[in-house]
Amino acid sequence: MNRNTLAVLVSFSLLLSNAQAAPAPEAARRLAQDATIVDTHIDAPEGLVDHWDDLALPTPGKEFDYPRAREGGLDVPFMSIYTSADQDDAGTAWQVANAMIDSVEALAQRHPDKFALLRSPKDLKRLQRGGKVLLAMGMENGAPLVDDIGNVAKFHARGVRYITLAHGRNNRISDSATDTQPRWHGLSPFGQQVVKEMNRVGIMVDVSHLSEDAIRQAVELSSVPVIASHSALRHFTPGFQRNLSDENVKAIAAKGGVVQVPFGSMFVDAPAAKAYADYVSAREAYRQAKLAAAAAGQAFTATEPQFPKVAPGSVAEVLDNIDRIVQLTGGADHAGIGSDFDGVNGALVSELHSVADYPVLVAGLQQRGYKDADIRKILGGNLLRVWSEVERAATP
Ligand SMILES: [Zn+2]
């Protein structure tokens, strides 16, 4: 690339980053349509609990629906079967998770011309015929397993193909990146059993949300590659524990795994990450104070912290994360995408508003000089490689 081309490209990308949702160039649209796009984290099922919609139809209040999935070239959205630490405490996580799986099944059954459930990468090409979007399922938080190892196989039978071992607080399985202090110093004894059982039945181990130690232990213990379904790099957001250290990115890659970069501003933009981390701490302090007041029989009048409003990050910051994963791991085999659409209260980077916008990301990768073959790996090829490997190694 000579200096003039570079200058043109730089001013072009400046133009793009200043514009609101600049249309992606035709070449990017074509590649997004032709490549297999696998997005490992879309919180549509929880959105349906809050407000039901028929996601086969245009659903402007949400970030995932069938028409926009097709427009953006999305092939395999992993529907997040999410339960919170509070639901774990309340003993409702198993119930909530099963009801969410029902809602994903209902969507596919209601619209067999538009959706199908994807349980194995082997079925991808066959099920896709006629323009279907293939719904896979990932369970965010191992809370629904409760304390019964048999639940791993039961959720596999229901179609769950990854489990994020913990969420915002430590649970029975693992320490969380965002709890106030470690409980297990990594995985619990039950958590170690869970990882082995996931390997046995063929469920991918997801290390997003886990503490530094828990990630390292899960990577070591798993006999197959692991994924981070929606995690960016702490390098760009110092102090934000929820993101991955360079050491853990390298460890995940050394084992053959993949880091799926999210599009939420708090993951990729330092000021947004700081505001979000402060909010998470304030919310936890509020929760603890409320519990203490209730235990003491005292009135509790503090106001609940509100989700912070911050200036959105940019698609360039998402691309910086992908670039750094590629640099740290020596190639394009260990980076992917896990948007967190419908999961961040709309706090997305300014150019990626919904599942219609993958071509914008593709255009950015093309401008940064990525070859089509590498872009295809990042969009979905890497995740499908790991999923296939986990499935092949399973002995259910
Ligand atoms: Zn999450």
Side-chain angles (χ1 to χ4, degrees):
M1 188 187 300
N2 66 39
R3 193 161 291 173
N4 283 339
T5 345
L6 187 67
V8 170
L9 276 183
V10 167
S11 51
F12 182 57
S13 62
L14 279 176
L15 253 177
L16 265 188
S17 63
N18 289 337
Q20 276 283 322
E26 195 43 43
R29 288 205 168 275
R30 269 202 311 274
L31 182 53
Q33 287 297 328
D34 193 56
T36 300
I37 300 185
V38 182
D39 184 328
T40 42
H41 205 85
I42 296 186
D43 272 305
E46 199 208 353
L48 294 180
V49 174
D50 295 340
H51 183 276
W52 186 85
D53 285 292
D54 188 342
L55 298 176
L57 308 173
T59 313
K62 295 193 172 163
E63 292 153 8
F64 169 83
D65 60 30
Y66 178 81
R68 283 178 294 170
R70 294 286 294 156
E71 189 187 335
L74 174 60
D75 299 277
V76 183
F78 268 81
M79 298 282 104
S80 178
I81 307 301
Y82 162 72
T83 55
S84 66
D86 286 344
Q87 287 166 333
D88 194 6
D89 288 348
T92 57
W94 179 90
Q95 176 64 29
V96 170
N98 277 295
M100 272 189 196
I101 294 170
D102 285 352
S103 78
V104 175
E105 287 179 343
L107 183 59
Q109 285 164 8
R110 203 182 311 129
H111 302 285
D113 55 328
K114 293 192 171 70
F115 293 112
L117 298 174
L118 185 65
R119 291 162 162 269
S120 164
K122 284 185 198 140
D123 300 332
L124 197 143
K125 287 285 168 246
R126 176 176 61 82
L127 291 177
Q128 243 183 344
R129 276 178 217 138
K132 287 198 283 285
V133 170
L134 304 183
L135 307 174
M137 285 185 275
M139 179 180 272
E140 180 173 35
N141 197 352
L145 302 178
V146 200
D147 52 5
D148 179 359
I149 196 72
N151 277 328
V152 176
K154 286 181 188 159
F155 280 116
H156 179 267
R158 292 220 64 190
V160 169
R161 289 299 179 266
Y162 76 70
I163 298 175
T164 319
L165 301 181
H167 191 253
R169 299 204 297 270
N170 305 333
N171 65 11
R172 289 175 203 83
I173 299 169
S174 172
D175 285 344
S176 162
T178 44
D179 209 327
T180 44
Q181 39 209 332
R183 175 173 170 197
W184 308 104
H185 297 280
L187 300 178
S188 71
F190 178 62
Q192 294 170 10
Q193 249 187 299
V194 166
V195 168
K196 288 182 192 159
E197 179 68 356
M198 287 167 71
N199 287 169
R200 188 185 72 79
V201 303
I203 296 181
M204 289 179 277
V205 174
D206 176 19
V207 300
S208 285
H209 283 286
L210 305 192
S211 72
E212 193 75 12
D213 286 343
I215 295 174
R216 191 172 30 76
Q217 291 169 20
V219 172
E220 275 168 21
L221 182 63
S222 177
S223 57
V224 286
V226 311
I227 66 167
S229 70
H230 59 310
S231 289
L233 306 192
R234 210 180 300 149
H235 173 82
F236 297 107
T237 55
F240 186 45
Q241 288 304 114
R242 169 66 182 83
N243 274 342
L244 297 171
S245 65
D246 286 357
E247 289 68 35
N248 274 338
V249 171
K250 288 186 208 163
I252 291 166
K255 192 90 181 216
V258 56
V259 175
Q260 307 279 103
V261 176
F263 306 163
S265 297
M266 70 284 278
F267 291 105
V268 298
D269 178 78
K274 169 88 175 68
Y276 183 70
D278 289 348
Y279 159 72
V280 169
S281 317
R283 199 182 50 186
E284 180 58 15
Y286 170 88
R287 189 184 72 87
Q288 303 262 8
K290 193 173 172 183
L291 285 174
Q298 291 164 352
F300 184 70
T301 53
T303 36
E304 191 168 356
Q306 294 300 303
F307 193 88
K309 281 206 174 9
V310 287
S314 68
V315 70
E317 291 172 306
V318 173
L319 294 163
D320 289 346
N321 273 270
I322 294 174
D323 281 351
R324 187 167 176 84
I325 296 167
V326 169
Q327 284 159 15
L328 287 171
T329 63
D333 293 329
H334 306 285
I337 52 173
S339 63
D340 219 344
F341 280 134
D342 287 317
V344 293
N345 280 341
L348 295 156
V349 300
S350 57
E351 302 90 338
L352 301 172
H353 304 282
S354 78
V355 291
D357 294 332
Y358 300 102
V360 176
L361 186 79
V362 174
L365 290 165
Q366 288 175 327
Q367 282 157 34
R368 290 191 180 199
Y370 283 83
K371 295 198 220 70
D372 281 8
D374 285 340
I375 295 174
R376 286 172 189 271
K377 287 181 185 176
I378 292 164
L379 292 176
N382 291 332
L383 193 283
L384 291 172
R385 179 197 74 228
V386 171
W387 188 0
S388 302
E389 208 170 324
V390 168
E391 186 179 270
R392 266 199 310 276
T395 50

